[in-house]
Amino acid sequence: MTAPLPVRPPEPAAEQARAQAPRQRPPSRLLAPLRQTGRLFALALAVIRAVFRRPFQLREFIEQFWFVASVTILPAALVSIPFGAVIALQVGSLTEQLGAQSFTGGASVLAVIQQASPLIVALLIAGAAGSAICADLGSRKIREELDAMEVMGVSPVQRLVVPRVLATMLVAVLLNGLVSVVGTLGGYFFNVIMQGGTPGAYLASFSALAQLPDLYVGELKALIFGFIAGIVAAYRGLNPRGGPKGVGDAVNQSVVITFMLLFAVNMVITAIYLQIVPPKGG
């Protein structure tokens, strides 16, 4: 006689339902950049809403403003001199070949005010101040200080992020004026001294081509670039991965992402400005 087969005990109802349920597919990696972009925009909207809430962290804002200004003023002034000189030399050489050397001043100054100055300011803020902001918030995150603030009912966005973003925006606007002046003086010196241009022709071409909206769009770019640099640095600092090593990776990512966004936004703003504002005398 054959031995009876062992009887399998009945499975619980929950296990049977789990076995019969269709398996859920893991989220696609292609959607990860979209989720990150959405969270970045959500943080930007949260910061804009928190600006108008009270109490405003005035002391934190002043401290961050002084820190951002102290680490960017001298590098910005030193970098703007060779930028203005390179633009003046290149434009001067090109206009000399075309027989329009009298327009060197206007072309070089417009290039500095509209393009070079906001980008110099934004790159320095993102590289110097933005990396420090990202590292500070990231270290607070891995030490669970931000979680403790949320438990106590304190919003990390209103308490820490808003003062830092406003500080980067204000410093960017003020620093843009400094870089524009220094870059213009550097271009004037190199054009007049090294290329043999005349001061009268340099200033006359500038007054003939430049207009106030050129300065306004430069300041607007600096304001928007400062906001982008602060938001990206804060977002990567609030979302580090993998402990202290993740903080370092977040700092690198914040700088790279900010650079990419700055050049893309600069292209869009420039295209819109050239379509809306007519050239002087046009």
Side-chain angles (χ1 to χ4, degrees), residues 112-189:
V112 170
I113 293 177
Q114 289 189 15
Q115 304 298 330
S117 178
L119 286 177
I120 291 173
V121 171
L123 295 180
L124 286 175
I125 288 181
S131 58
I133 291 173
C134 182
D136 178 40
L137 295 178
S139 61
R140 291 172 183 261
K141 181 67 176 179
I142 63 174
R143 292 198 303 264
E144 299 182 353
E145 293 183 15
L146 302 183
D147 298 334
M149 293 177 63
E150 293 179 353
V151 170
M152 293 186 295
V154 179
S155 173
V157 173
Q158 184 179 5
R159 178 65 179 81
L160 299 176
V161 178
V162 170
R164 285 163 171 78
V165 174
L166 292 180
T168 57
M169 294 172 64
L170 182 58
V171 172
V173 172
L174 298 179
L175 204 60
N176 181 70
L178 173 65
V179 173
S180 299
V181 172
V182 176
T184 301
L185 293 178
Y188 172 84
F189 175 80

Side-chain angles (χ1 to χ4, degrees), residues 224-239:
I224 296 176
F225 294 167
F227 178 76
I228 293 175
I231 289 294
V232 173
Y235 174 75
R236 293 306 305 145
L238 295 175
N239 300 278

Side-chain angles (χ1 to χ4, degrees), residues 80-103:
S80 61
I81 296 175
F83 255 91
V86 169
I87 292 176
L89 293 175
Q90 186 66 42
V91 173
S93 176
L94 181 61
T95 54
E96 185 178 0
Q97 296 176 12
L98 298 176
Q101 193 174 3
S102 60
F103 293 98

Side-chain angles (χ1 to χ4, degrees), residues 35-97:
R35 288 194 295 269
Q36 297 291 335
T37 304
R39 292 170 185 171
L40 180 63
F41 277 95
L43 178 62
L45 293 177
V47 169
I48 295 175
R49 288 196 301 266
V51 169
F52 303 99
R53 295 177 184 174
R54 296 295 179 269
F56 180 74
Q57 305 298 326
L58 181 60
R59 180 176 179 180
E60 184 77 15
F61 168 74
I62 295 175
E63 291 178 354
Q64 294 301 319
F65 173 83
W66 175 251
F67 167 74
V68 176
S70 63
V71 299
T72 53
I73 288 179
L74 183 59
L78 295 179
V79 170
S80 61
I81 296 175
F83 255 91
V86 169
I87 292 176
L89 293 175
Q90 186 66 42
V91 173
S93 176
L94 181 61
T95 54
E96 185 178 0
Q97 296 176 12

